[in-house]
Amino acid sequence: MKLVFAGTPEVAVPALDALIASGRHEVAAVVTRPDAPAGRGRRLVASPVAQRAEEAGIEVLKPGRPRDEDFLARLREIAPDCCPVVAYGALLPRVALDIPAHGWVNLHFSLLPAWRGAAPVQHAVMAGDEITGASTFLIEEGLDSGPVYGTVTEEVRATDTSGDLLTRLAFAGSGLLAATMDGIEDGTLKAVPQPADGVTLAPKISVEDAHVDWAAPALRVDRVVRGCTPSPGSWTVFRGERLKLIQVVPVPERTDLAPGALAVGKNNVYVGTGSYAVELLWVQAQGKKPMRAADWARGVRIASGEVVGG
C-alpha cells in the first residue's frame, strides 16, 4: 500500500522505521507537528519523526492544523491507501479521515478500551496495572473509540517508569503496526468494535497531578513517582521550594515516620507516608542537576523534625 505516516515524538520513530524497513509498503510522506522551540536558545527544531523522514528522503508535511486546505490538497494528490498514526498530537477532522481508502490507523499504547486518551502509559503505571500493551485501531471522530485490528501485551515491571514502559511498547507496537498494514492490504484483518465495558480514560497528566501526597500509602507514592517519570516529573516542597522526585523505593520495615517526616542516615534519606516509609534515591532541587538523595541531604543539612510536603 501507499502510506502517509503521521507522528511527532521520539516514541513514534520505531514504527516509522518498521514501515520503511518492511519493504512491502511505500511510505510516500510523513505528517508531523510544526517545528517547535527547544533548548536554552529556544530555536525552532524539527520533530524526531520529521528528522528521521528527512534522513530517509521522505516528503515531510507540517500543517499548522490538519484541516488546512493546502495540506488536505497535498494529501489528496498523494492519494494514500492508508495513514498509520503514532502520537501525532493533533485532532484529525472528518475531511482528512475520509481521504485514504483504508482510513487512518492509530497505534495506541494501551489494551483498548482501557486507558483511552493522551497518557495511557502514565495512567497504567500510576494505577498499578500488571499488564498493559498496545492496540491498533481505525480512527473515528470519538476519543480512541474505533474498532481494533490487533493488540500486543506487555508486563508492567515493579520498577518501571512510564518512560521505561513506553520505550518497550514503542518497539513492540512498531511490529504490530507493520503487521496491521500487511493484514489490511491482503484482506486477512478485520477491525472488531471495542466492548462497551472496561472503558477507562487517560487524560494528560498535569503538574498538579504529579504533586506527591505523603498521606497516601507508600505504594501509591511509588507509583506516582514512576508514572510521572520522566514527564511531567513528580514533586514535593522542601523549605518552600519545589523538589523533584526522580526515584523512590518503598521500605515496608520502616513504620516510625509520620507522613512527610524526613529521617536521614549516613547514606539514606527516608520519608514517611500514610503506610510505611519510602527511601528517596534520586532527587532534583530547583536550579540543580539530578543527584543522589543522600548527597542532596548532606548539602542542605536537614535538621531533626524537618518535613517535606505542602
Side-chain angles (χ1 to χ4, degrees), residues 258-274:
L262 285 160
V264 181
K266 185 176 180 181
N267 293 302
N268 308 89
V269 182
Y270 302 99
V271 182
T273 76

Side-chain angles (χ1 to χ4, degrees), residues 274-300:
S275 56
Y276 42 82
V278 298
E279 182 181 354
L280 304 186
L281 297 182
W282 284 86
V283 299
Q284 184 176 3
Q286 277 189 234
K288 304 288 187 180
K289 293 182 179 180
M291 66 179 72
R292 292 189 180 278
D295 296 334
W296 164 77
R298 278 190 287 270
V300 298

